[in-house]
Amino acid sequence: MNKLSFFLRRLVQGFATLLLIAVMNFMLIHAAPGDPATVLAGESGSADEQFLQELRQRFDLDRPLPQQLLSYLGRLAQGDLGDSYRQQAPVIDLIMDRLPATLLLTISAFVLSLLFGVTLGAWASRHVGKWQDTLITTFSMLFYATPLYWVALMAVLVFSVQLGWLPGFGFETVGAGYSGLARGLDIAQHLVLPTLVLALFYMAIYARMTRASMLEVAHQDFVKTARAKGLSEGRVLRSHILRNALLPVVTLAGMQAGAMVGGAVLIETVFAWPGIGRLLFEALAQRDYALLLGTFLVTASIAVLFNLLTDVVYTLVDPRIELS
């Protein structure tokens, strides 16, 4: 199987997965208790039956569920995610307005966690049983077991409130009027704390997995053969141990990269980060079905995309892996 056929097949599988996810999300959300028309009517101060009926007709909520589902899938096929009940705006516009902030946060955290996690894990495996190994293992266990919201609150309290080193909330300084490089630096300052907090948990996982995987590979016969041939320890580590040990780490990272986008809702809420996670939380609280379905579908699409990229990374890490 050539690469083009492989990726076309994976694309078809990805679209089928997204279609199944869209149907499941639609059915589960509409099975939940609560009527969005009642919520909207309550907020507008008018809850008489005529007004409720007008709202249901306006948002197609008075139609049978199968017809609503077919209508929803038909709009999806045309790239239309519908309109938000609450914000009276196209869902795609609301999501695209928040998505860059979420991608900036999650990609920064993902790269940081993977880079430092693999480095720390490799360092621990080289010094297994020594103080370096003990220190990294303790660090990993500490941040793996500590609740993320507690770390986030303590980071704001220490580095923002007490020390005043970094801004604790928001995407940029409101009203500062920065532009160009000054605005970029301002955003980078606001990005530091949420990125570090989100990365610590995943960094601990990657460090532990890399350490365990490298220790397992280090005792394989092909590694002993490489050493017997007189290769330097550094080359054995880079070309034989680390390359093979990275495969399970890449698998896990590919699955977690997509989940990290949806899981950023807690970090975005604590740090008032204007991303898609906060948008999803607001939509859930307001029973905004169209916005909920849109955010679920976009996060699922990102997860599918990351899984496809993981297959590409496999071939880069170890070209011996066959696409079939």
Side-chain angles (χ1 to χ4, degrees):
M1 178 181 297
N2 59 45
K3 288 186 179 182
L4 181 60
S5 300
F6 171 77
F7 289 118
L8 286 177
R9 193 183 71 174
R10 296 284 285 121
L11 278 176
V12 172
Q13 290 175 343
F15 279 117
T17 303
L18 288 177
L19 177 62
L20 183 61
I21 289 173
V23 173
M24 288 180 61
N25 285 339
F26 184 91
M27 299 304 294
L28 288 174
I29 286 178
H30 283 77
D35 182 1
T38 305
V39 176
L40 288 171
E43 291 175 350
S44 65
S46 177
D48 61 87
E49 188 57 36
Q50 182 180 358
F51 186 61
L52 286 173
Q53 190 60 30
E54 289 176 359
L55 287 174
R56 293 190 180 104
Q57 289 178 350
R58 180 178 178 184
F59 296 111
D60 289 339
L61 295 172
D62 59 335
R63 301 166 64 187
L65 196 58
Q67 290 185 16
Q68 291 185 45
L69 175 59
L70 290 176
S71 175
Y72 171 65
L73 294 178
R75 290 197 305 271
L76 281 186
Q78 302 172 29
D80 181 10
L81 297 180
D83 295 328
S84 165
Y85 305 152
R86 171 67 182 273
Q87 305 194 39
Q88 302 290 306
V91 169
I92 188 67
D93 291 346
L94 296 172
I95 292 176
M96 294 310 293
D97 186 48
R98 300 288 191 96
L99 191 58
T102 292
L103 290 179
L104 179 63
L105 171 63
T106 51
I107 291 176
S108 301
F110 177 72
V111 172
L112 187 71
S113 61
L114 192 59
L115 182 64
F116 281 90
V118 170
T119 302
L120 290 174
W123 196 31
S125 72
R126 285 292 305 274
H127 301 87
V128 63
K130 299 180 181 177
W131 67 268
Q132 296 96 330
D133 181 30
T134 304
L135 181 65
I136 293 172
T137 302
T138 304
F139 162 84
S140 303
M141 288 296 296
L142 178 66
F143 286 105
Y144 180 74
T146 305
L148 208 56
Y149 70 88
W150 187 87
V151 178
L153 292 175
M154 290 301 103
V156 171
L157 181 63
V158 173
F159 296 105
S160 181
V161 177
Q162 295 292 334
L163 298 176
W165 290 353
L166 293 166
F169 304 102
F171 183 75
E172 58 185 320
T173 304
V174 178
Y178 293 131
S179 61
L181 180 61
R183 183 169 184 247
L185 292 174
D186 184 50
I187 294 174
Q189 282 187 323
H190 285 79
L191 183 63
V192 171
L193 282 183
T195 299
L196 281 177
V197 172
L198 185 59
L200 282 173
F201 174 78
Y202 295 97
M203 191 187 302
I205 295 176
Y206 299 147
R208 288 185 60 80
M209 175 161 280
T210 302
R211 175 186 179 275
S213 184
M214 288 190 68
L215 289 176
E216 181 181 354
V217 173
H219 294 90
Q220 298 292 323
D221 290 339
F222 67 90
V223 176
K224 296 176 182 176
T225 303
R227 287 197 175 103
K229 289 181 177 177
L231 296 180
S232 66
E233 191 59 29
R235 186 172 177 185
V236 172
L237 178 68
R238 290 190 303 271
S239 302
H240 296 275
I241 299 179
L242 185 58
R243 172 170 287 184
N244 290 279
L246 279 180
L247 292 177
V249 180
V250 170
T251 303
L252 183 65
M255 292 188 292
Q256 289 188 334
M260 192 182 285
V261 177
V265 57
L266 178 61
I267 296 299
E268 291 182 357
T269 302
V270 172
F271 289 98
W273 191 260
I276 199 171
R278 283 188 65 197
L279 186 66
L280 190 151
F281 181 76
E282 293 164 4
L284 183 64
Q286 298 160 359
R287 291 184 175 81
D288 195 334
Y289 289 168
L291 190 52
L292 265 177
L293 290 171
T295 51
F296 285 158
L297 188 63
V298 169
T299 52
S301 302
I302 294 174
V304 170
L305 177 63
F306 273 111
N307 278 317
L308 181 61
L309 291 176
T310 302
D311 293 331
V312 177
V313 175
Y314 272 144
T315 61
L316 297 178
V317 173
D318 191 346
R320 296 171 302 174
I321 295 177
E322 295 181 359
L323 294 179
S324 60

